[in-house]
Amino acid sequence: MKTSDIPFKEAYKKLNKEQKRAVDTLDGPVMVIAGPGTGKTQVLSLRIANILKQADIGASGILCLTFTRSGVTAMRKRLVDYIGTDANKVVVATFHGFAQRLVEKNYELLGFIQPPELLDDNKAVFLVDEILHDRNWVHLRPRANPATYFNDIKSLISLLKREQLSPSDFKVTVIEEIENLTQDPTSISSRGETKGQLKKEIQTKIESLQKTAEVVDFYQVYEETKRTRALMDYDDVLAYAVQLVSEFEDVRADLFETYQYVLVDEHQDSSGIQNAFLTAVWANVEQQNIFVVGDDRQLIYGFGGASMNHFVDFLNHFKNTQLITLVENYRSTAPILELADTLLTSELAQGKLSSNHKLGDKASQAILAEYQYTRDEIIAAGLYFKHTIAQGVSAHECALLVPKNHQVKSAVQILTGLGLPVSGSSTESLFATREYADMRRVFNIVINPSSSVDLAESLFDAGAQIAPLQAHSFLKSLKPRNLHLEDLISYGNDQGLFAGENPIAQWGKKIKSLIEQTVHEPLTATVSLLGNQILVDSAHNHAQLVRSVEVVRTLIHLALSRHEQHPQETLAEFVQYLDRLEEYGTHVPVALLGGKDGIQIMTLHGSKGLEFEHVWIAHMNQSTLMSQRRGGFTLPESIAEKVEAKDETVAKREVYVAITRAKSFCTVSYALYDSKGSELELAHILGEIPEIHWIKKPSATTTAEILAHGESIYTQYQPKSVEGTDVDQLVQLVKERFAESNVSVTLLNNFFECPWKWYFRNFLQLPDVKGASLIFGSAVHTTLEKIIKGKHVPTKPVVEQYVREALIQESAEENALEQLVIEGTACVMRFVETSMPHLAKDCVTERSISYRDPVFPNLSLYGKIDLTERFADGTVTVTDFKTGSSKTTGVIEKPDENGRMSDYLRQLAMYSYLINGSEKGTVVSQSRLYFLEAKDTDKNRIYSTHITREHLDLLKKDITDYQELLESGNWISQECRFKPFGTGITECEYCKRAREVYLK
């Protein structure tokens, strides 16, 4: 026996019957359905070794394709063990990697004059961003958030490429769908006022499809731009590879002759285009020595094009395929496998999973635990892991799995708070750290030292080393909106012997010095210098030092990568690069120092391919598990069916994968209530599993288990609130000076949304950067004021000029200006044509009004009314102009949980209150909200009401509560009512800043 044969023979002896069959069946097409933990990687590597032993073929004649780089690494390691140095000659590659080499070798056949450059995810962000900004898109670049449809566009184009649909094909499909809906008799209403017309839901769907059609134009520009610049994205790589093997016989023949045996791992992850590649090369040859292995129950990448159909398609294209099933599991104990099999049955495999686990069943268990609240689940998981680690189990053998990415972040915070080691995986994004926010502000100041916004906010950053109350007093002593660097440097000059030692002056001087030091430095040196002086040098303890180093080295890595492509890049250009990455939700992991041996916290999807001794699967509630992000575009039915809907089968696959990560211990948990007290229920797919498969723990039991660690366990690890001496002094300062601020409806709205928003925005009056929506709204208001004061109906060109001038005055971004002009002109012209002819002769715009109510003698009440109309009968109508989408009566009139009016109704009540108070005897008969961008057919375009005594009493109660909360100091403990509204921001920025500034 050859020495090199010994490892192979020893490993081969340990194979079970079906594994040996998969290794020995060398000729013809073979499909192996391999359940989790059944040794598919072992089978693949031994099969390759056996081909080399049995067939007259060199190692370079074998091609093994998988879907991840980790899969390539694992395969190479096994091969080295079994066949020695020849392992390096076997072509083991990812599908994308192999296709890229094929394109680079044959690029001229594709019409390129040089090998196309691969766009990684970061580079693709900038190409998409460039196209979004260079054209006037009606739907694709919303004013409020230009990045709204970024991921939807990328995902849709990716889907179309995988399904080999060109822009023109896609457009035809959309048009056909619209025509079918229009002509379908079932689309016509048969009753009521709309009889004979298209049903409302059909009209809505057609409008959505018309919106989707704009993606065709984007897709066309995207493809043309890439082709012109010799670029290709990840989907192009596979598309070009399929094109080469489909259209060029020589390429196809070369592949077939070079690779006589082909093996494909994780076949369930294949997309249509990957299957098309395999079929084009090997389906019509005589020797179809192609071997695929996968598990239909682990098909969880449906959004990436994976589908059960690809298993069936393979069997159709390769007619004589031998089907082999692997069911003997070497990872998990019997109770865990029985639970998994009960949850989900394979559509292709024969037989159930059987355990060959060394532990047996004695110590194994599958627990279904019920908790009162979702947070309790994570606390309990942390306590379980703490006990498990204390028993000698490695933290790396423990995993907490959750359905959503945002739940990962929350779980990391709770487990870290419990003092547990959490794996330094790539779950934390650079853009979510406080340190990055501090650095980003300093970058801005170095680029533009006159940025009053960043100068004011930097006073509260850790690197400034200024006591919060000093920053507070400084800002209250001047007008922050006109803050200059020299204001900081000169502060305290009147302090005689101690002049210049004031921390604010020192911060100003430090910034000035940094600007001078970096003026001629290259980008990487600038980032390093600023990072070290702002973050690293100001760290007060080891934990802060480590975190500062991690953030700075992440920024340096990014700067170095940019330098390779753009050697002359400036700090301003680098900041634009960072802003685009953040705006489009690009995940930039923090370059952590160590920390890889902790508890693994990840999503159900992210756990695929891994295994752990102890697995806790949390948040298994029906609403959580079955929720699915809705795309921004309506797809034609023929395309929509390519995207697998989140049905019970898909949910079962996700949970199946999670359960089968466990070797010995698996806990599944769910909660009865979410953090807001809303009722939850166990996911139906788990509730249907017979009780024999679970050790069940009701909420009474789990609550007692948590309380055994002390009642404080529930509050001990809450996000820390602001407290301490500084806050006590702050409360007193606010009490003394809050009456200096005019009480406007905006102030009240901010206060009742978040008291800390009121503190930073209204009390300290920190300057705020105007977003596109605010700029647009201001420009439209300015234009309307000019037109109404002019007392004549302007032409469209005049309106367009007014809007343009107003936008330029508001500093609208140049690349967004033309689209804003178009949108602004449209909504102003709609008002001019439909409403201006009907205005009262006695009307005033942008009217400022103040009033001191004897009930609130220390408060000055103030408002600015967009439009006031007076009629001959002495009555008055007030109108507030709104840009943005219209709101229904239900939304406007709905009180919050404390019985307070909505922001909209509070605004109208304030106007009546001011007029009634300052103009005795004047009656405001009608109060209106005019949604300028709403279509004429929108019934919610104008909301009209009469403000009653009840409304005014509610407003007075708000003012009373505002005054009493500030005088008592209880404002700092009021609940924040921030709502993200789909912005991607999940935490109130003002509460976060308050904790950072005043936390002790």
Side-chain angles (χ1 to χ4, degrees):
M1 182 186 297
K2 294 180 182 179
T3 304
S4 60
D5 287 340
I6 295 175
F8 171 81
K9 290 186 177 294
E10 291 298 317
Y12 183 83
K13 286 179 184 177
K14 297 176 182 178
L15 298 180
N16 61 46
K17 179 181 176 182
E18 290 303 300
Q19 287 177 325
K20 287 179 179 177
R21 184 179 162 210
V23 169
D24 292 337
T25 308
L26 302 184
D27 298 327
V30 178
M31 176 182 283
V32 174
I33 305 301
T38 55
K40 68 177 180 59
T41 305
Q42 180 83 327
V43 166
L44 276 166
S45 54
L46 287 174
R47 179 182 171 84
I48 291 172
N50 200 31
I51 291 170
L52 292 175
K53 286 174 60 64
Q54 302 295 337
D56 184 18
I57 182 177
S60 60
I62 301 174
L63 172 63
C64 181
L65 297 172
T66 185
F67 289 85
T68 62
R69 292 189 180 92
S70 60
V72 171
T73 302
M75 181 59 63
R76 286 200 181 281
K77 186 177 182 300
R78 295 282 184 100
L79 287 176
V80 168
D81 292 339
Y82 299 140
I83 63 177
T85 56
D86 270 359
N88 294 321
K89 297 177 183 177
V90 176
V91 179
V92 183
T94 63
F95 245 115
H96 276 92
F98 182 76
Q100 185 176 352
R101 288 193 288 274
L102 187 67
V103 171
E104 289 171 348
K105 180 181 178 182
N106 300 282
Y107 66 89
E108 291 176 322
L109 296 176
L110 295 167
F112 290 103
I113 59 174
Q114 64 187 48
E117 178 189 351
L118 180 63
L119 279 170
D120 61 22
D121 287 339
N122 287 359
K123 292 176 185 175
V125 164
F126 288 90
L127 180 59
V128 172
D129 175 71
E130 177 187 328
I131 298 171
L132 280 175
H133 281 81
D134 284 353
R135 302 223 173 182
N136 293 326
W137 304 102
V138 177
H139 303 293
L140 301 187
R141 191 173 180 271
R143 182 171 59 249
N145 182 8
T148 299
Y149 296 120
F150 173 76
N151 288 315
D152 290 316
I153 292 169
K154 285 207 310 179
S155 297
L156 178 53
I157 290 177
S158 183
L159 173 66
L160 296 174
K161 287 184 179 181
R162 290 195 305 267
E163 300 304 326
Q164 298 175 279
L165 273 172
S166 67
S168 57
D169 291 338
F170 179 45
K171 190 164 190 174
V172 167
T173 305
V174 173
I175 291 172
E176 287 179 350
E177 178 85 359
I178 292 173
E179 290 178 351
N180 290 340
L181 286 169
T182 304
Q183 297 171 9
D184 188 344
T186 62
S187 298
I188 307 300
S189 176
S190 59
R191 62 182 65 184
E193 296 179 359
T194 59
K195 183 177 181 180
Q197 302 175 17
L198 286 173
K199 295 176 180 175
K200 185 171 181 58
E201 63 268 23
I202 300 299
Q203 288 179 335
T204 301
K205 187 170 184 179
I206 289 173
E207 289 174 1
S208 297
L209 284 166
Q210 290 169 340
K211 173 181 170 183
T212 303
E214 192 173 48
V215 180
V216 175
D217 300 323
F218 183 95
Y219 188 10
Q220 187 75 50
V221 176
Y222 178 72
E223 292 300 294
E224 290 171 356
T225 304
K226 284 196 289 90
R227 171 62 72 166
T228 301
R229 299 180 187 178
L231 301 171
M232 62 179 177
D233 59 28
Y234 282 112
D235 294 305
D236 289 330
V237 174
L238 293 175
Y240 286 146
V242 170
Q243 183 181 345
L244 286 169
V245 296
S246 299
E247 297 180 5
F248 301 99
E249 175 64 32
D250 289 347
V251 177
R252 192 163 58 245
D254 181 56
L255 286 174
F256 173 66
E257 291 168 7
T258 302
Y259 305 110
Q260 297 176 43
Y261 286 87
V262 180
L263 303 92
V264 180
D265 191 12
E266 302 287 5
H267 186 65
Q268 75 276 352
D269 296 337
S270 291
S271 69
I273 202 163
Q274 288 159 339
N275 251 10
F277 178 78
L278 298 175
T279 302
V281 181
W282 288 284
N284 297 315
V285 299
E286 187 174 344
Q287 281 298 111
Q288 297 177 327
N289 295 331
I290 184 165
F291 175 94
V292 297
V293 58
D295 180 10
D296 58 309
R297 288 182 288 188
Q298 296 187 66
L299 197 166
I300 59 173
Y301 295 124
F303 58 87
S307 168
M308 268 297 298
N309 293 334
H310 301 326
F311 284 96
V312 178
D313 289 345
F314 183 89
L315 296 173
N316 288 335
H317 287 296
F318 297 90
K319 299 293 185 183
N320 300 316
T321 298
Q322 297 186 61
L323 189 64
I324 300 172
T325 300
L326 304 183
V327 293
E328 191 168 353
N329 179 286
Y330 296 86
R331 175 191 301 157
S332 307
T333 56
I336 291 171
L337 296 181
E338 288 169 5
L339 175 63
D341 263 327
T342 304
L343 174 70
L344 184 61
T345 303
S346 170
E347 295 182 33
L348 298 170
Q350 299 174 353
K352 293 186 176 183
L353 293 170
S354 61
S355 176
N356 197 348
H357 192 282
K358 59 184 180 181
L359 182 66
D361 302 341
K362 295 180 181 178
S364 178
Q365 50 187 321
I367 296 172
L368 180 63
E370 177 185 82
Y371 290 86
Q372 281 290 310
Y373 294 96
T374 50
R375 187 169 171 274
D376 298 352
E377 297 178 65
I378 309 303
I379 292 173
L383 295 173
Y384 171 79
F385 290 138
K386 181 172 282 192
H387 173 76
T388 300
I389 294 168
Q391 298 300 308
V393 176
S394 168
H396 199 65
E397 281 292 336
C398 300
L400 174 59
L401 311 182
V402 293
K404 308 295 180 184
N405 279 314
H406 71 87
Q407 293 165 339
V408 171
K409 180 180 178 181
S410 174
V412 168
Q413 291 173 340
I414 293 174
L415 265 61
T416 301
L418 283 161
L420 287 161
V422 174
S423 171
S425 61
S426 58
T427 57
E428 185 173 27
S429 173
L430 171 70
F431 303 123
T433 66
R434 173 189 177 180
E435 290 76 12
Y436 172 74
D438 292 0
M439 284 299 298
R440 178 67 181 77
R441 265 186 288 277
V442 172
F443 286 164
N444 275 0
I445 296 169
V446 170
I447 294 165
N448 178 17
S450 63
S451 172
S452 56
V453 174
D454 294 294
L455 281 171
E457 294 210 349
S458 75
L459 300 177
F460 293 101
D461 290 340
Q465 300 189 53
I466 299 170
L469 290 179
Q470 284 182 304
H472 171 111
S473 298
F474 170 69
L475 290 170
K476 288 299 289 182
S477 71
L478 45 75
K479 294 182 178 180
R481 289 187 173 87
N482 297 312
L483 187 65
H484 297 285
L485 182 58
E486 196 55 43
D487 293 327
L488 276 65
I489 295 172
S490 62
Y491 188 65
N493 281 350
D494 58 352
Q495 295 178 0
L497 183 64
F498 300 100
E501 294 185 12
N502 186 288
I504 291 172
Q506 290 177 342
W507 176 236
K509 291 173 182 177
K510 183 173 186 176
I511 291 173
K512 185 176 181 180
S513 173
L514 290 172
I515 293 170
E516 292 169 350
Q517 289 180 66
T518 57
V519 67
H520 296 302
E521 290 291 337
L523 176 62
T524 50
T526 296
V527 172
S528 178
L529 177 67
L530 295 176
N532 279 289
Q533 291 206 28
I534 298 300
L535 293 184
V536 178
D537 293 349
S538 63
H540 293 299
N541 54 52
H542 177 71
Q544 284 184 8
L545 178 63
V546 170
R547 171 35 56 101
S548 295
V549 170
E550 289 173 342
V551 170
V552 172
R553 72 197 289 247
T554 305
L555 286 167
I556 292 173
H557 290 170
L558 288 170
L560 285 169
S561 69
R562 294 292 291 175
H563 179 75
E564 292 175 3
Q565 301 158 27
H566 309 281
Q568 304 302 316
E569 183 161 83
T570 64
L571 180 62
E573 291 167 334
F574 180 60
V575 167
Q576 288 180 343
Y577 166 75
L578 294 173
D579 286 349
R580 287 294 182 256
L581 292 181
E582 183 176 13
E583 181 181 0
Y584 290 115
T586 307
H587 178 68
V588 177
V590 175
L592 298 172
L593 298 171
K596 294 184 178 180
D597 295 326
I599 298 165
Q600 305 291 303
I601 304 177
M602 61 188 69
T603 62
L604 309 183
H605 272 88
S607 69
K608 188 171 180 292
L610 303 175
E611 57 182 47
F612 309 94
E613 200 67 39
H614 297 259
V615 171
W616 188 298
I617 307 168
H619 306 318
M620 289 292 98
N621 296 94
Q622 177 69 11
S623 56
T624 304
L625 186 60
M626 296 303 297
S627 66
Q628 184 178 30
R629 181 183 177 275
R630 293 182 61 186
F633 305 107
T634 298
L635 300 178
E637 293 297 332
S638 59
I639 297 176
E641 65 187 17
K642 306 286 185 182
V643 183
E644 194 161 24
K646 187 68 176 286
D647 58 16
E648 285 198 350
T649 301
V650 177
K652 283 181 178 180
R653 290 179 195 153
E654 291 181 354
V655 179
Y656 176 89
V657 166
I659 290 172
T660 54
R661 300 312 94 197
K663 299 177 186 177
S664 306
F665 303 94
C666 180
T667 297
V668 176
S669 67
Y670 67 101
L672 298 176
Y673 303 96
D674 64 16
S675 58
K676 296 179 180 179
S678 300
E679 290 189 8
L680 300 171
E681 61 176 329
L682 175 64
H684 298 166
I685 60 172
L686 295 171
E688 295 168 356
I689 294 176
E691 293 193 9
I692 192 174
H693 295 292
W694 300 109
I695 295 174
K696 285 195 170 184
K697 290 186 177 182
S699 62
T701 300
T702 58
T703 300
E705 289 177 346
I706 295 176
L707 285 174
H709 296 266
E711 293 183 357
S712 63
I713 198 76
Y714 284 112
T715 58
Q716 189 174 353
Y717 307 106
Q718 289 277 14
K720 295 179 180 178
S721 59
V722 292
E723 56 188 20
T725 305
D726 279 355
V727 174
D728 293 339
Q729 294 180 28
L730 171 67
V731 165
Q732 185 60 32
L733 286 172
V734 168
K735 177 180 177 181
E736 293 170 358
R737 302 192 63 178
F738 79 88
E740 296 173 6
S741 301
N742 288 333
V743 178
S744 66
V745 72
T746 301
L747 176 146
L748 291 174
N749 288 344
N750 286 344
F751 184 83
F752 290 116
E753 177 188 330
C754 173
W756 286 108
K757 182 177 183 179
W758 166 85
Y759 171 73
F760 287 113
R761 292 282 294 277
N762 299 100
F763 185 74
L764 288 186
Q765 296 184 5
L766 287 187
D768 192 33
V769 177
K770 277 189 175 183
S773 291
L774 192 55
I775 287 173
F776 178 81
S778 296
V780 168
H781 277 71
T782 299
T783 303
L784 287 173
E785 180 183 11
K786 184 179 291 189
I787 290 171
I788 295 172
K789 281 183 176 178
K791 300 291 185 181
H792 68 273
V793 178
T795 62
K796 184 175 180 181
V798 170
V799 169
E800 185 175 324
Q801 182 61 30
Y802 286 170
V803 171
R804 185 182 303 278
E805 291 171 354
L807 286 167
I808 292 173
Q809 188 170 353
E810 292 287 339
S811 302
E813 288 187 18
E814 188 175 345
N815 57 14
L817 181 61
E818 293 308 315
Q819 184 61 34
L820 293 178
V821 169
I822 292 171
E823 294 174 6
T825 301
C827 70
V828 171
M829 284 303 299
R830 194 175 298 119
F831 173 84
V832 166
E833 293 168 357
T834 61
S835 299
M836 193 169 172
H838 308 293
L839 292 181
K841 290 183 179 181
D842 184 1
C843 64
V844 180
T845 64
E846 299 297 321
R847 177 191 176 206
S848 295
I849 184 169
S850 297
Y851 170 56
R852 279 190 180 271
D853 191 328
V855 178
F856 311 109
N858 298 321
L859 299 179
S860 175
L861 307 167
Y862 171 81
K864 181 179 281 190
I865 305 174
D866 289 343
L867 177 63
T868 307
E869 298 178 82
R870 298 180 186 275
F871 298 93
D873 61 359
T875 60
V876 170
T877 294
V878 296
T879 301
D880 188 72
F881 295 129
K882 299 289 186 186
T883 50
S885 59
S886 63
K887 299 295 181 287
T888 65
T889 299
V891 168
I892 294 169
E893 296 182 353
K894 182 180 179 181
D896 69 12
E897 54 268 37
N898 292 323
R900 299 191 192 278
M901 292 181 288
S902 71
D903 290 357
Y904 299 104
L905 207 51
R906 183 183 290 124
Q907 186 166 26
L908 295 180
M910 177 66 91
Y911 292 162
S912 288
Y913 179 52
L914 292 172
I915 292 175
N916 291 344
S918 60
E919 301 176 16
K920 300 301 181 183
T922 300
V923 177
V924 180
S925 60
Q926 191 177 34
S927 299
R928 307 190 307 169
L929 297 173
Y930 194 127
F931 295 96
L932 296 162
E933 293 187 81
K935 296 179 180 179
D936 295 342
T937 55
D938 187 343
K939 66 179 182 179
N940 299 312
R941 184 166 64 103
I942 297 176
Y943 168 81
S944 182
T945 190
H946 172 66
I947 295 300
T948 65
R949 174 56 56 186
E950 182 182 1
H951 292 128
L952 295 176
D953 287 344
L954 286 171
L955 175 64
K956 289 180 181 179
K957 182 181 186 303
D958 286 344
I959 299 171
T960 300
D961 290 348
Y962 165 77
Q963 180 172 266
E964 290 180 351
L965 286 167
L966 292 173
E967 288 179 339
S968 67
N970 291 330
W971 63 274
I972 64 167
S973 60
Q974 293 299 295
E975 181 182 357
C976 174
R977 302 188 182 283
F978 165 77
K979 292 182 176 61
F981 293 114
T983 59
I985 301 172
T986 58
E987 181 179 11
C988 172
E989 61 177 298
Y990 303 101
C991 289
K992 180 181 179 182
R993 170 138 288 220
R995 287 198 303 272
E996 292 171 348
V997 171
Y998 290 106
L999 180 63
K1000 298 297 177 185

